[in-house]
Amino acid sequence: EVQLQASGGGLVQAGGSLRLSCVASGWSFDDSAIGWFRQAPGKEREAVASISSDDDNTYYSDSVKGRFTISYDNAKNTVYLQMNSLKPEDTATYFCATVAAGDYNDPLEGDEYDYWGQGTLVTVSS
């Protein structure tokens, strides 16, 4: 059974930083795409960032580009999302998801991902 465990969320002031982690069990992130998505109350899910573990290509939404960094530690089978310069509008539940390499076209399209974690809440106060 594939399980993704997201952690690292919390309450932070605007301008602060958080690092989210996503650990997989029953799945190797090797040869996968791993994405971070978020959903704020009353809003649709949106893509944040993704990384393809086979070539280390990264992709970011315009809203987080330059502030967030996604990375992959293959030894720990963990993906991180470093979030800096946080803004109140970044407040959301953040989810990690994964799909096998070659099984997707758009790395920022959530519908193309097969496995999802439970989410971790990030709250940014003004």
Side-chain angles (χ1 to χ4, degrees):
E1 180 186 9
V2 177
Q3 290 189 334
L4 302 182
Q5 181 72 40
S7 62
L11 174 64
V12 64
Q13 288 188 332
S17 299
L18 283 174
R19 189 178 77 158
L20 305 184
S21 301
C22 177
V23 180
S25 59
W27 179 270
S28 171
F29 281 150
D30 288 346
D31 298 321
S32 299
I34 307 96
W36 284 99
F37 299 82
R38 67 187 182 187
Q39 188 166 21
K43 295 189 176 181
E44 293 187 353
R45 182 185 67 199
E46 65 171 332
V48 175
S50 69
I51 185 167
S52 54
S53 61
D54 53 351
D55 57 16
D56 288 334
N57 282 337
T58 56
Y59 309 87
Y60 297 93
S61 68
D62 289 342
S63 61
V64 307
K65 201 171 294 181
R67 299 188 298 123
F68 291 10
T69 303
I70 189 170
S71 61
Y72 167 58
D73 185 335
N74 63 347
K76 296 182 178 180
N77 205 34
T78 300
V79 172
Y80 302 99
L81 183 69
Q82 178 66 43
M83 306 187 295
N84 298 329
S85 302
L86 282 161
K87 304 175 181 179
E89 51 262 44
D90 294 318
T91 295
T93 298
Y94 285 69
F95 301 87
C96 60
T98 191
V99 60
D103 284 355
Y104 65 96
N105 293 309
D106 182 350
L108 291 178
E109 175 51 64
D111 288 345
E112 299 207 42
Y113 284 75
D114 292 325
Y115 302 103
W116 290 78
Q118 86 291 353
T120 185
L121 178 63
V122 172
T123 304
V124 184
S125 63
S126 57

